[in-house]
Amino acid sequence: MKHIYNILLIGIISCFFSCYTEEVKPTVITTSDYTVLVDYAVSAQDTIGNIPGTSNKGSVTFTIVSQSVPNALSIGETYGELIVQDASAFDPEINTEMNLVVSVSKNEITENTNISITIEEPCPDVNINDWLGKIAVVNNGTQTAAFGIENDCSILTLQGGDVAGLTCDVEAEISIQYEESDSNIGIILVERQAYDCVSGSNLELEADGEYDQDTGITTLNYTLYENNSINSTGTTTLFFDASSCTPVVNTAIWDGNLTVEEPGFFVVSGTGKSGCNTLEISGDILNWGCDSGLLPALEISFTPDSDGATTGTAVMERQNYNCNAGENLEIEATGTYNEDTSTIDFTYAFYIDGEEFFTGDIVITPN
């Protein structure tokens, strides 16, 4: 009986101390600063994020302490949802960012967290077709050739061309932002960026100017920097080279790294360089096993099914497959392309010394 009494007494004492320890354990709140990018086209009652906050003592309470745009947002007291109350406050012409301080509380213990909200501006929608494909670049009376590729948000990537009159020995690339306008004349901006036009130099270029959709001319008023100091300023014009073709296929989809697969047999890599309704693909796309330093560069031409179509035929005329020294290798292929799925499907034939050696099917997609 005495042993039972002792066991009960020890149990009661252990429970007392463990319960007491639990009661005096300090409340700890865990939270962190929070950053969110918000689309300008939000609506009232949209949730744009959840504030992080927990406690070692269970649920916490969220409260807005301050906000830089009054009454723009409310917060869910239990789960910390940031909820839009005034959608008009998210117009980027009025506010480009908002800042809030939110308290996270439990048992009279409070931690504050800082909330930074950036409002994403609408993407410009400008028809820049006049500057796609082969472009003439004129600087101080000298004309050079470049190639224009459209990216998202009306940004033109200009490949090549002597924009700053430097007699380039490297094909430089710059990005030009076309801004929306209520007329056919609008402004362009070139943010300061590397201009790798001359080997071994440290050049940067920035510019402003305008475009005219009626004349098809873009004017750049540029400043050229070398080693962070101004080197020169000037004006350059860009216009479509009418002697070239009209781009009707967005071959820029296959610019850069590509995957080439013959289903069930191999997957290899290639590199694409877009042209006007053409694509040059470099690489051992048939997994033949090329000599070191030798890679075929193959030309593909595209024809849409109809005006404005995003599908059509792709053709690789019979051409050299320059892969092994001393061997006479050729390839030809026909197939289809689909801009929406970013795929080129080919049925090909491979020739050695003029004789068909094997055939197959490959699929080309961007990485």
Side-chain angles (χ1 to χ4, degrees), residues 308-361:
T310 57
T311 58
T313 58
V315 176
M316 185 186 296
E317 300 285 353
R318 188 162 170 173
Q319 54 195 278
N320 290 332
Y321 193 84
N322 184 26
C323 182
N324 298 120
E327 290 189 349
N328 179 20
L329 308 177
E330 295 175 294
I331 184 176
E332 67 178 347
T334 58
T336 60
Y337 72 90
N338 188 319
E339 295 178 34
D340 298 323
T341 60
S342 303
T343 55
I344 303 171
D345 293 279
F346 269 137
T347 296
Y348 69 86
F350 188 70
Y351 300 85
I352 299 179
D353 294 329
E355 298 293 329
E356 185 178 292
F357 190 66
F358 61 84
T359 61
D361 299 289

Side-chain angles (χ1 to χ4, degrees), residues 124-187:
D125 184 15
V126 182
N127 181 359
I128 62 174
N129 287 341
D130 285 341
W131 299 281
L132 302 182
K134 190 175 180 182
I135 300 298
V137 178
V138 179
N139 177 274
N140 198 27
T142 299
Q143 179 172 320
T144 54
F147 197 86
I149 298 171
E150 183 174 13
N151 294 302
D152 292 336
C153 290
S154 303
I155 295 175
L156 177 75
T157 297
L158 188 71
Q159 297 177 332
D162 196 352
V163 174
L166 294 176
T167 313
C168 298
D169 62 2
V170 178
E171 184 178 274
E173 182 177 291
I174 62 171
S175 296
I176 305 172
Q177 175 70 69
Y178 284 69
E179 300 288 351
E180 284 190 62
S181 172
D182 293 332
S183 68
N184 287 335
I185 297 176
I187 65 171

Side-chain angles (χ1 to χ4, degrees), residues 204-226:
E204 295 176 296
L205 185 85
E206 68 178 349
D208 58 20
E210 69 176 29
Y211 64 88
D212 188 329
Q213 292 174 319
D214 292 328
T215 63
I217 293 175
T218 294
T219 303
L220 280 71
N221 303 310
Y222 67 84
T223 300
L224 181 71
Y225 299 87
E226 184 173 13

